[in-house]
């Protein structure tokens, strides 16, 4: 039996690395042919929320590749900024460094620095129909200066009090446990093998 192809619907190298680790742990070794999104594929993110955008990306990449596709849409929602940058997190400024600078500029002098990272995941069948969705949230606050060398995006500014570290300081295992993407994937994981491999769903612990 030919094993299913699962395309990670992203060109973000940081996301690709995180998903690769998560999927390696969630699925039997060698059971699925994991592939990155083909070069040149772009999807306009016109959805009204994270889940809508994740579904748009998963559907488009699945239809383009004629394979299963797993997509996410993630963003940082800051309370003092009325939820911004939100679904526009990746387009908040032209570069990663400038996005961090802009966030700090907009929060200058503000006492309330509470924020949350949100991830929505969508798994699409090869015909583009959505098979599974999930969401994960991490609550924390925005630091006054970047800390840590790991991660990507806003990670150096996002502090998790329960861990006492920024996302950029966490080990991969810590980020999988406390991060929004890891939590969204944990909600999807019990149903993933059932969808891809036609196996019974994993029992909840």
């Amino acid at each position: 039996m030919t094993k299913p192809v699962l395309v990670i619907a992203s060109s973000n190298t940081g996301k690709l690395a995180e998903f690769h680790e998560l999927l390696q742990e969630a699925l039997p070794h060698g059971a699925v042919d994991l592939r990155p999104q083909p070069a040149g594929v772009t999807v306009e993110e016109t959805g009204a929320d994270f889940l809508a955008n994740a579904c748009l990306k998963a559907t488009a990449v699945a239809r383009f590749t004629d394979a299963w596709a797993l997509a996410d849409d993630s963003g940082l929602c800051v309370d003092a900024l009325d939820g911004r940058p939100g679904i526009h997190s990746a387009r908040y400024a032209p570069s990663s460094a400038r996005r961090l600078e802009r966030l700090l500029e907009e929060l200058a002098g503000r006492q309330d620095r509470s924020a949350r990272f949100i991830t929505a995941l969508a798994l699409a069948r090869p015909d583009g129909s959505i098979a599974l969705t999930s969401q994960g949230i991490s609550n924390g606050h925005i630091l006054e200066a970047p800390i840590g060398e790991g991660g990507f995006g806003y990670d150096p500014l996002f502090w998790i009090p329960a861990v006492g570290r920024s996302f950029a300081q966490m080990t991969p295992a810590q980020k999988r446990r406390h991060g929004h993407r890891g939590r969204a994937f944990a909600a999807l994981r019990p149903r993933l093998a059932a969808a891809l491999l036609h196996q019974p769903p994993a029992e909840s612990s």
Side-chain angles (χ1 to χ4, degrees):
M1 181 178 177
T2 303
K3 60 185 176 182
V5 175
L6 176 60
V7 178
I8 307 303
S10 177
S11 57
N12 183 304
T13 56
K15 286 185 181 182
L16 289 172
E18 285 192 17
F19 275 126
H20 191 267
E21 289 184 359
L22 290 166
L23 288 162
Q24 290 273 354
E25 293 181 359
L27 298 170
H29 179 69
V32 174
D33 183 1
L34 291 178
R35 299 182 186 178
Q37 177 175 303
V41 176
T42 57
V43 181
E44 190 173 357
E45 298 179 15
T46 57
D49 55 31
F50 295 110
L51 182 57
N53 280 333
C55 290
L56 283 172
K57 288 187 277 190
T59 293
V61 172
R63 288 175 176 168
F64 184 88
T65 60
D66 194 28
W68 289 84
L70 178 64
D72 93 316
D73 194 48
S74 304
L76 178 66
C77 301
V78 181
D79 291 338
L81 302 181
D82 298 322
R84 289 185 293 112
I87 60 171
H88 304 292
S89 292
R91 304 181 293 279
Y92 196 46
S95 68
S96 182
R98 181 60 192 129
R99 286 191 282 274
L100 297 185
E101 290 173 358
R102 180 180 175 186
L103 182 60
L104 291 175
E105 289 167 0
E106 294 204 23
L107 284 176
R110 306 233 189 189
Q111 291 188 343
D112 181 7
R113 303 179 78 87
S114 57
R116 66 199 50 81
F117 259 122
I118 300 174
T119 285
L121 294 181
L123 177 71
R125 303 178 184 91
D127 64 3
S129 61
I130 299 299
L132 301 172
T133 63
S134 67
Q135 182 171 281
I137 299 175
S138 292
N139 293 302
H141 67 257
I142 306 302
L143 295 164
E144 295 186 357
I147 297 177
E149 301 296 328
F152 60 95
Y154 297 94
D155 286 0
L157 285 179
F158 193 75
W159 182 263
I160 299 289
V163 186
R165 293 186 176 189
S166 73
F167 270 171
Q169 292 176 301
M170 290 187 188
T171 65
Q174 286 176 321
K175 196 172 182 186
R176 285 194 294 274
R177 180 180 178 185
H178 299 281
H180 48 300
R181 192 166 293 108
R183 288 177 172 176
F185 191 83
L188 196 74
R189 179 172 176 163
R191 300 169 287 158
L192 193 59
L196 291 170
L197 307 174
H198 307 291
Q199 295 180 352
E203 293 184 4
S204 301
S205 56

